[in-house]
Amino acid sequence: MLGIADVLEILSIPLLGIIPESEEVLRASNLGAPVTVCGRDSAPSRAYFDAACRLTGESVEMTIPTDNKSLLTRLFGRRAA
């Protein structure tokens, strides 16, 4: 798996944002609606809004997503099929 620095080096373009992995994205996709509408307060929704603001020239602090899941959740948690 590539890290953020690896991706930036490969692409050689400025970073607009990092969209965190979330079940909200899957739910929105299943509903056929944008995550920014279905999960307005979710981390992916905020990340998309922040990236859009940066694209228009606004100065918005970059948030790097972290995996806050416990070891047990990562080992035995549900996985999307």
Side-chain angles (χ1 to χ4, degrees), residues 4-72:
I4 296 167
D6 298 325
V7 173
L8 289 173
E9 183 178 335
I10 291 168
L11 296 178
S12 300
I13 59 174
L15 182 65
L16 285 176
I18 301 169
I19 311 303
E21 191 175 344
S22 171
E23 286 187 20
E24 289 295 326
V25 175
L26 180 60
R27 282 189 204 110
S29 177
N30 288 340
L31 292 171
V35 71
T36 52
V37 173
C38 290
R40 286 184 186 266
D41 296 328
S42 68
S45 180
R46 286 190 306 273
Y48 278 115
F49 277 116
D50 289 350
C53 289
R54 286 186 206 93
L55 188 60
T56 62
E58 289 183 48
S59 178
V60 179
E61 184 179 340
M62 181 74 68
T63 303
I64 308 296
T66 59
D67 188 3
N68 293 331
K69 296 179 183 175
S70 71
L71 177 60
L72 291 176

Side-chain angles (χ1 to χ4, degrees), residues 67 69-79:
D67 188 3
K69 296 179 183 175
S70 71
L71 177 60
L72 291 176
T73 302
R74 284 183 275 161
L75 290 175
F76 302 108
R78 246 182 34 192
R79 294 181 187 201

